[in-house]
Amino acid sequence: MQMFRSGLVGLLALLVTGVLQAGTPDDPLNSVMWDYTRKIFLGDADYRFEPRIKVEVPAFAEDPAQVPISIDASAFAGEIERIVVWADLNPIQHIFDYYPIKNANGRVSLRIKVQQSTAVRAAVLTKSGSWHIGYAQLEAAGGGCTTPSMGNADPYWQSHLGEVQARRFSNAEGEGSRLKLRVIHPMDTGLVDAIPEFYLQQLELRNGAGEVQILMELSQPVSENPVISFDLDEDTTGYTLWLRDNGGNEFTRPL
């Protein structure tokens, strides 16, 4: 009888495991870190891999400290609550959270640091409560997260910290605009000996009435002197950019 019960318990365990595995989509990139990072960023929430979410990366990133990536979740425009982006094999995996609160369509681009070749994920939480995940495999030379910033060897950044250069472009389709900006900041990861972490943590784009249109929460893997662009659904002026770093410095710039 005891042997029967043990066998029954084992059979039930196998059945439950099979059901759970059947209900969990396999990672298209077969990353060894997928289950670990999924639990960090999504918890036990339901998710699906979504080809309509485009994650664009270079074929090979020769400079691992300045890797351009582009996220296009415009297929879910108007339904996006949050976009969280991470790199599976980075020592600091989180890159940024993006909240297109008003008049933004889910397209955002910037440059990042990577420590080695890695899967890059963009998980989109919609208003229905579902997660939709875009992805790309990034091939790269190593060491981007543990390379000292150029700013540490140049006193220029100390007198120009937080300076913003920005341009706005009309979209080729004739609707909306693209805002591209560059901020002077070393974006130190804290992974280099004797150089503490020092990076921009938060960005807000505000309209003329002071309402937040876009909110970004940034992490250390964003590249030095960040270059960020995002698409807006309107082609108006009067925006203000507000930023804050982990040292408590705040920067405001009319655009």
Side-chain angles (χ1 to χ4, degrees), residues 91-178:
I92 303 171
Q93 291 152 335
H94 180 260
I95 300 171
F96 68 89
D97 281 19
Y98 183 71
Y99 299 85
I101 297 171
K102 185 178 181 181
N103 295 325
N105 60 22
R107 294 192 188 101
V108 57
S109 303
L110 44 61
R111 297 177 184 175
I112 67 171
K113 312 181 191 86
V114 292
Q115 192 65 11
Q116 59 184 296
S117 297
T118 181
V120 178
R121 318 280 184 175
V124 177
L125 177 64
T126 60
K127 293 178 181 179
S128 66
S130 300
W131 285 99
H132 307 264
I133 303 171
Y135 53 88
Q137 179 66 30
L138 172 62
E139 302 297 332
C145 295
T146 52
T147 301
S149 65
M150 297 296 291
N152 281 287
D154 186 350
Y156 174 86
W157 74 267
Q158 296 182 4
S159 58
H160 293 268
L161 182 69
E163 283 190 0
V164 177
Q165 298 174 322
R167 290 191 64 184
R168 188 169 56 87
F169 306 88
S170 295
N171 284 342
E173 296 82 2
E175 296 182 0
S177 61
R178 172 165 296 175

Side-chain angles (χ1 to χ4, degrees), residues 16 33 55 57 94 99 153 183 189:
V16 170
M33 295 295 289
V55 180
V57 300
H94 180 260
Y99 299 85
V183 187
T189 62

Side-chain angles (χ1 to χ4, degrees), residues 189-255:
T189 62
L191 300 177
V192 180
D193 288 344
I195 301 177
E197 63 179 19
F198 184 44
Y199 63 99
L200 291 168
Q201 285 185 312
Q202 193 167 348
L203 175 155
E204 291 182 1
L205 182 70
R206 302 168 178 170
N207 63 16
E211 300 170 327
V212 176
Q213 307 279 98
I214 289 172
L215 168 65
M216 292 187 74
E217 296 172 348
L218 308 172
S219 287
Q220 298 94 316
V222 174
S223 293
E224 177 182 5
N225 299 331
V227 176
I228 304 172
S229 65
F230 30 73
D231 284 12
L232 301 169
D233 290 333
E234 57 185 15
D235 190 12
T236 61
T237 58
Y239 292 112
T240 297
L241 183 70
W242 175 88
L243 305 114
R244 181 174 60 204
D245 65 25
N246 70 316
N249 301 299
E250 296 187 11
F251 314 101
T252 304
R253 163 74 149 76
L255 303 177

Side-chain angles (χ1 to χ4, degrees), residues 67-87:
V67 182
I69 67 168
S70 179
I71 311 300
D72 184 354
S74 58
F76 293 89
E79 296 298 320
I80 301 171
E81 289 281 352
R82 173 189 174 203
I83 303 174
V84 57
V85 178
W86 72 87

